[in-house]
């Protein structure tokens, strides 16, 4: 307990001293548009091949090399004995070939001596079984011994490379994921976290509702981590589980901040500090970090899923980059892709060849969405071990570019051409600004809804993405924002299934609408307080005044159920979720249920609030047609024009360039103005193709 408090204290002190994180954009001069890099693991190859490889990396057009991510065993082969001569040599080779270095802290994979001598540094799973040496991400990030070792190796690296002019920045760890840890260290840290939050056990009992099933605690010492593995679904307290998610995410963020603070004691202020979250991150919450300059993401769109149309299995899931590229900007204002799939992977349900052009299209997608860097895992395909079958940009012979490698080369050439055409100071065209949209979303709502979905048809992760896709089909610029963000710069704010609220948040929404904003609130919003309790009032009570209606009841149908909704003269189908609404007298009903025993009841309502509007969509449909038509109506009603791009066709504007990508299986002909100047590609966008133009 004592050790843990000291750890917390040290971290607080360190973060206090280093609270000045940089303005992220300054690391990436606008005129460079995006900078490209590649993961290279010199420790995987014979030393006599290093120079050949690095020369090749430069020759292909890359600008930085990503190093040392999993190389702890080579930097500290024995406890306390550090060896950096090998890495110095690689860094020097990068300098020789004009390549920058992105250095990584190796905390995701620990050397064998750590598991042997300090087994407590590993996490425990839900059966209280210790993680074993041999894979990654199994360090118990709250364990003081593990923390101590991380501190030492990160310090050594920071001292050695922190002033190296060729090192542009640092990636912390690898794909932080807030893994549940049931080890004794974590049990202790969880209790400490709860004490900090609740102070008194009575407060915890109230928040967790422990009067139910005799879960009551007399003292914090009786509390253990809620364990779904052992107790099963029914025995689990959703409020305790929500706190465990919060604790795990807080701890993960604090672990990154801890590493960042160590680095900042030694590194130049010109080196950035970031990490690489997975595109779909349901555990780690990037917005909880305080010390990162910005966050990046890793994108593997194709794991053998069906996606859009016949060619979708080769083109990948179009929502991966779409979502991640916006979401990760909510830390530091900019983002980029740290890893992008360079070809078939080894872990998909099946791993098909990609349609020619796909890697380049993904790269353009990250660029289009504002990406400041585009890097790829990995340079050479490895000839041995767990990722043998995973493509690299270079094939197993060590010298020939793979299909993805060739596409990367092309992309880098084209970016260099675009840089020549870059004109500073371009501002977003009026037509686009008039559609500016924000989607409010946070992981806490994901956690609480996903725990109690109430229908297996509720797709928690993809639900907010549905609205992102609709807004993108209108060609709206969309930000994915936290609830603390300033809403006033957006014409439209979408609040999809935002389950947990408090009165201050609802007040902020009301003010936004009253000042002329257009709010779109959807089902499940405001049904719970921040602890996940229902209100001792009607359903969604805090927003009933705002939406001008009461949510009277909620229905769900089976997967082949046929719910019917009528809006003007058009019928829509639904079967996932339906709130039956009772509108107030000044509220307009936009759509009604047209079958079931409640036929005629309101499903979608619109309410004027001050100078703006609030629309409540009480239904979740699979095909999203109803939602899309409602949104179109709202945008048009507010004076914004909308495009009508088909699924998988995304168009962006950045730095004076329009960029379109096509994940669909059909050709798409872009409607362009007479003055449009095509820079890359053709007006007819084939599947997997890219079009860049200016106007
Ligand atoms: C990523 C990971 C990489 C590599 C890759 C394989 O999630 O960060 O290190 O394992 O997957 O697809």
């Amino acid at each position: 307990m004592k050790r843990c408090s000291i750890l917390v204290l040290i971290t607080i002190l360190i973060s206090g001293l280093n609270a000045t994180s940089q303005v992220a954009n300054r690391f990436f001069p606008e005129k460079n548009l995006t900078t490209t890099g590649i993961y290279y693991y010199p420790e995987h190859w014979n030393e006599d091949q290093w120079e050949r490889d690095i020369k090749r990396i430069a020759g292909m057009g890359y600008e930085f090399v990503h190093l040392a991510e999993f190389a702890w065993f080579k930097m500290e082969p024995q406890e306390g004995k550090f060896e950096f001569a090998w890495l110095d040599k690689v860094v020097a080779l990068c300098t020789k070939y004009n390549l920058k270095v992105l250095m990584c802290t190796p905390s995701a994979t620990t050397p064998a001596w750590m598991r042997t001598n300090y087994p407590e540094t590993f996490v425990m799973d839900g059966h209280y079984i210790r993680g074993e040496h041999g894979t990654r991400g199994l360090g118990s990030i709250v364990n003081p011994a593990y923390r101590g070792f991380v501190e030492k190796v990160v310090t050594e690296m920071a001292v050695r490379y922190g002033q190296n002019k060729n090192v542009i920045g640092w990636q912390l760890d690898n794909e932080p994921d807030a893994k549940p840890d049931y080890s004794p260290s974590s049990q202790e840290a969880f209790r400490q976290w709860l004490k900090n939050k609740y102070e008194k056990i009575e407060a915890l009992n109230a928040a967790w509702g422990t009067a139910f099933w005799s879960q009551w605690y007399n003292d914090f010492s009786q509390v253990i981590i809620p364990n779904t593995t052992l107790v099963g679904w029914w025995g689990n307290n959703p409020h305790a589980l929500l706190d465990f998610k919060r604790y795990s995410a807080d701890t993960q963020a604090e672990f990154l901040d801890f590493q960042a603070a160590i680095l900042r004691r030694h590194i130049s202020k010109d080196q950035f500090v970031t990490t690489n979250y997975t595109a779909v991150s349901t555990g780690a919450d990037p917005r909880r970090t305080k010390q990162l300059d910005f966050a990046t993401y890793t994108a593997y769109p194709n794991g053998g899923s069906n996606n859009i149309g016949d060619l979708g299995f080769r083109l990948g899931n179009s929502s991966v980059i779409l979502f991640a590229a916006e979401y990760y900007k909510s830390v530091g204002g900019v983002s980029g892709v740290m890893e992008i799939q360079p070809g078939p992977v080894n872990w998909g349900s099946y791993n098909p060849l990609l349609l020619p052009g796909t890697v380049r299209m993904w790269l353009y997608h990250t660029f289009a969405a504002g990406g400041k860097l585009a890097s790829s895992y990995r340079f050479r395909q490895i000839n041995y071990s767990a990722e043998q079958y995973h493509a690299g940009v270079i094939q197993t012979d060590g010298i020939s570019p793979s299909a993805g490698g060739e596409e990367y080369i092309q992309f880098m050439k084209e970016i260099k051409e675009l840089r020549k055409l870059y004109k500073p100071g371009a501002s977003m065209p009026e037509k686009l600004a008039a559609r500016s949209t924000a989607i409010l979303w946070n992981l806490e709502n994901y956690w609480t809804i996903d725990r109690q979905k109430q229908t297996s048809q509720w797709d928690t992760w993809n639900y907010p993405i549905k609205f992102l896709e609709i807004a993108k089909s209108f060609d709206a610029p969309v930000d994915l924002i936290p609830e603390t963000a300033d809403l006033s710069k957006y014409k439209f704010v979408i609040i999809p299934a935002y389950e947990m609220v408090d009165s201050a948040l609802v007040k902020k929404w009301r003010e936004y609408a009253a000042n002329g904003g257009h709010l779109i609130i959807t089902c499940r919003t405001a049904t719970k307080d921040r602890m996940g309790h229902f209100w001792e009032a009607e359903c969604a009570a805090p927003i009933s005044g705002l939406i001008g209606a009461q949510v009277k009841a909620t229905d769900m149908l089976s997967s082949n159920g046929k719910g019917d909704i009528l809006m003007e003269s058009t019928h829509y189908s639904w079967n996932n979720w339906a709130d039956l609404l009772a509108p107030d007298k000044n509220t307009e009903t936009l759509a009604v249920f047209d079958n079931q025993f409640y036929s005629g009841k309101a499903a979608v309502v619109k309410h004027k609030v001050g100078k703006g509007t609030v629309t409540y969509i009480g239904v979740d449909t699979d095909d999203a047609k109803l939602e899309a038509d409602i949104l179109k109506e709202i945008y048009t009603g507010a004076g914004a024009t909308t495009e009508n791009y088909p699924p998988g066709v995304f168009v962006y504007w950045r730095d004076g360039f329009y960029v379109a990508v096509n994940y669909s299986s059909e050709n798409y002909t872009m409607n362009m103005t007479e003055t449009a100047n095509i820079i890359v590609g053709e007006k007819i966008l084939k599947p997997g193709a890219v079009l860049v133009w200016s106007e």
Side-chain angles (χ1 to χ4, degrees):
M1 202 83 90
K2 227 183 199 169
R3 272 208 238 143
C4 192
S5 330
I6 292 170
L7 198 73
V8 170
L9 188 71
I10 292 173
T11 318
I12 291 169
L13 285 176
I14 291 168
S15 28
L17 291 175
N18 292 281
T20 49
S21 76
Q22 322 289 345
V23 178
N25 216 13
R26 78 183 177 85
F27 299 108
F28 304 99
E30 299 283 344
K31 66 179 170 46
N32 288 354
L33 300 175
T34 193
T35 175
T36 55
I38 192 74
Y39 282 40
Y40 184 57
Y41 298 93
E43 65 276 18
H44 296 174
W45 310 107
N46 288 333
E47 196 171 329
D48 62 10
Q49 295 180 338
W50 291 353
E51 179 152 9
R52 181 198 72 185
D53 288 350
I54 286 167
K55 190 171 171 196
R56 186 94 177 97
I57 291 174
M60 287 172 83
Y62 290 102
E63 294 165 318
F64 68 83
V65 184
H66 178 282
L67 289 176
E69 189 189 35
F70 298 127
W72 197 334
F73 80 101
K74 210 163 162 73
M75 293 189 279
E76 193 180 1
Q78 291 172 48
E79 184 183 338
K81 298 234 164 3
F82 292 93
E83 285 183 12
F84 285 106
W86 69 276
L87 191 53
D88 290 350
K89 185 168 175 187
V90 181
V91 172
L93 281 170
C94 290
T95 312
K96 177 171 172 191
Y97 290 98
N98 278 324
L99 289 161
K100 300 286 182 201
V101 168
L102 204 166
M103 199 58 90
C104 304
T105 68
S107 47
T109 50
T110 53
W113 55 257
M114 205 181 295
R115 177 64 175 91
T116 312
N117 301 338
Y118 305 90
E120 71 274 24
T121 56
F122 276 63
V123 294
M124 273 186 177
D125 70 9
H127 293 102
Y128 306 117
I129 292 176
R130 277 271 176 225
E132 193 43 272
H133 179 67
T135 186
R136 56 192 187 185
L138 293 187
S140 174
I141 60 176
V142 290
N143 177 264
Y146 173 74
R147 283 278 181 125
F149 289 123
V150 170
E151 177 160 10
K152 280 195 197 113
V153 71
V154 173
T155 304
E156 292 285 333
M157 293 183 82
V159 167
R160 199 147 189 116
Y161 303 110
Q163 299 300 323
N164 185 316
K165 295 241 173 321
N166 221 40
V167 174
I168 51 171
W170 296 77
Q171 175 195 300
L172 306 174
D173 207 74
N174 166 258
E175 294 189 328
D177 71 350
K179 202 185 276 324
D181 176 6
Y182 302 84
S183 68
S185 314
S186 182
Q187 301 282 357
E188 191 178 304
F190 182 54
R191 279 190 286 270
Q192 188 56 49
W193 184 92
L194 292 171
K195 275 189 201 162
N196 293 344
K197 177 168 180 177
Y198 294 109
E199 291 174 4
K200 297 211 156 59
I201 197 68
E202 294 75 17
L204 178 144
N205 278 322
W208 285 13
T210 55
F212 188 74
W213 285 350
S214 233
Q215 291 169 351
W216 195 266
Y217 298 104
N218 301 333
D219 191 85
F220 281 102
S221 65
Q222 294 173 331
V223 181
I224 52 164
I225 294 173
N227 189 335
T228 48
T229 317
L230 298 185
V231 185
W233 194 91
W234 281 105
N236 271 287
N237 177 323
H239 317 293
L241 284 168
L242 176 60
D243 268 348
F244 183 46
K245 288 280 189 193
R246 287 172 169 150
Y247 150 82
S248 302
D250 277 355
T251 310
Q252 176 66 75
E254 190 269 325
F255 176 60
L256 295 172
D257 285 345
F258 163 79
Q259 292 202 39
I262 298 166
L263 285 176
R264 288 198 202 283
R265 272 183 242 149
H266 307 281
I267 67 173
S268 146
K269 63 176 178 25
D270 296 329
Q271 296 179 348
F272 58 76
V273 180
T274 186
T275 189
N276 61 342
Y277 291 98
T278 52
V280 177
S281 172
T282 58
D285 182 355
R287 291 170 180 165
R288 286 171 198 247
T289 57
K290 297 188 182 69
Q291 293 282 322
L292 300 186
D293 289 306
F294 58 93
T296 69
Y297 58 96
T298 64
Y300 291 84
N302 203 359
S305 44
N306 290 331
N307 309 314
I308 307 169
D310 293 349
L311 296 173
F313 76 106
R314 299 198 188 281
L315 288 161
N317 179 347
S318 61
S319 72
V320 172
I321 294 167
L322 183 77
F323 179 83
E326 304 305 336
Y327 175 45
Y328 288 105
K329 281 186 206 156
S330 53
V331 183
V334 297
S335 188
V337 67
M338 195 62 96
E339 292 176 24
I340 206 158
Q341 179 176 351
V345 293
N346 62 312
W347 45 258
S349 45
Y350 59 104
N351 298 292
L353 289 175
L354 305 180
L355 193 71
T358 302
V359 170
R360 174 170 164 268
M361 175 184 70
W362 291 337
L363 286 163
Y364 266 105
H365 192 179
T366 71
F367 164 72
K372 297 286 181 183
L373 60 87
S375 152
S376 186
Y377 175 88
R378 54 182 284 148
F379 182 58
R380 288 172 64 174
Q381 176 169 357
I382 198 156
N383 304 57
Y384 56 90
S385 201
E387 292 185 339
Q388 267 182 311
Y389 284 96
H390 193 291
V393 296
I394 292 290
Q395 301 182 43
T396 47
D397 64 2
I399 46 178
S400 316
S402 60
E406 295 288 4
E407 291 180 22
Y408 228 119
I409 295 173
Q410 188 184 348
F411 172 72
M412 292 185 289
K413 274 199 192 124
E414 289 165 349
I415 288 295
K416 283 169 193 153
E417 290 306 310
L418 292 182
R419 284 179 187 162
K420 294 182 195 154
L421 300 174
Y422 168 75
K423 295 195 200 81
S427 58
M428 181 181 280
E430 272 297 300
K431 193 168 79 174
L432 298 181
R435 303 170 187 152
S436 65
T437 302
I439 298 179
L440 207 63
W441 180 85
N442 78 13
L443 262 182
E444 298 215 346
N445 288 307
Y446 170 82
W447 294 329
T448 127
I449 294 180
D450 208 52
R451 186 71 212 160
Q452 294 178 314
K453 298 211 291 194
Q454 196 61 359
T455 163
S456 55
Q457 282 157 227
W458 185 270
D459 187 349
T460 319
W461 185 263
N462 287 312
Y463 184 71
I465 295 178
K466 163 157 97 171
F467 293 93
L468 174 59
E469 286 172 337
I470 295 172
K472 284 306 294 177
S473 76
F474 297 170
D475 197 14
V478 188
D479 288 345
L480 280 156
I481 58 166
E483 61 186 47
T484 48
D486 174 16
L487 304 181
S488 67
K489 55 181 186 173
Y490 302 102
K491 301 270 188 260
F492 307 94
V493 172
I494 305 174
I495 304 175
Y498 211 87
E499 199 171 65
M500 295 187 296
V501 302
D502 54 36
S503 52
L505 183 60
V506 175
K507 184 163 170 263
K508 180 172 175 173
W509 297 349
R510 177 179 279 281
E511 279 165 10
Y512 166 74
N515 290 329
H518 299 282
L519 266 185
I520 297 114
I521 301 181
T522 83
C523 52
R524 303 191 86 140
T525 298
T527 52
K528 290 179 174 175
D529 68 13
R530 297 285 189 180
M531 231 12 260
H533 294 209
F534 290 144
W535 312 103
E536 207 167 321
E538 72 207 43
C539 178
I543 57 164
S544 53
L546 183 63
I547 66 174
Q550 290 182 342
V551 178
K552 286 293 184 192
T554 297
D555 196 20
M556 288 145 233
L557 303 179
S558 69
S559 56
N560 51 13
K562 293 196 172 27
D564 187 17
I565 289 178
L566 183 63
M567 183 163 69
E568 293 179 351
S569 52
T570 311
H571 287 268
Y572 300 85
S573 52
W574 73 276
N575 55 15
N576 296 339
W577 189 277
D579 287 341
L580 314 188
L581 306 174
D584 300 343
K585 71 172 185 321
N586 292 327
T587 302
E588 188 187 347
T589 296
L590 299 186
V592 294
F593 296 102
D594 205 37
N595 69 353
Q596 312 298 331
F597 66 86
Y598 41 77
S599 183
K601 286 240 179 302
V604 183
V605 294
K606 186 171 174 184
H607 184 220
K608 284 212 169 80
V609 174
K611 294 188 216 147
T613 62
V614 180
T615 305
Y616 184 83
I617 305 177
V619 197
D620 176 37
T621 73
D622 277 340
D623 61 15
K625 286 204 175 89
L626 174 73
E627 292 93 323
D629 282 355
I630 304 259
L631 259 64
K632 181 151 271 191
E633 180 72 31
I634 299 165
Y635 279 58
T636 317
T641 57
T642 54
E643 302 296 338
N644 195 16
Y645 295 129
V649 172
F650 303 119
V651 182
Y652 292 79
W653 179 92
R654 77 163 275 185
D655 294 314
F657 300 104
Y658 290 87
V659 185
V661 295
N662 183 5
Y663 286 79
S664 85
S665 297
E666 312 290 331
N667 288 355
Y668 180 76
T669 307
M670 188 59 63
N671 191 3
M672 303 167 89
T673 61
E674 302 260 301
T675 53
N677 168 33
I678 294 185
I679 305 166
V680 175
E682 293 169 12
K683 201 169 161 175
I684 299 180
L685 269 165
K686 297 199 174 106
V690 169
L691 174 63
V692 183
W693 75 100
S694 62
E695 279 184 0

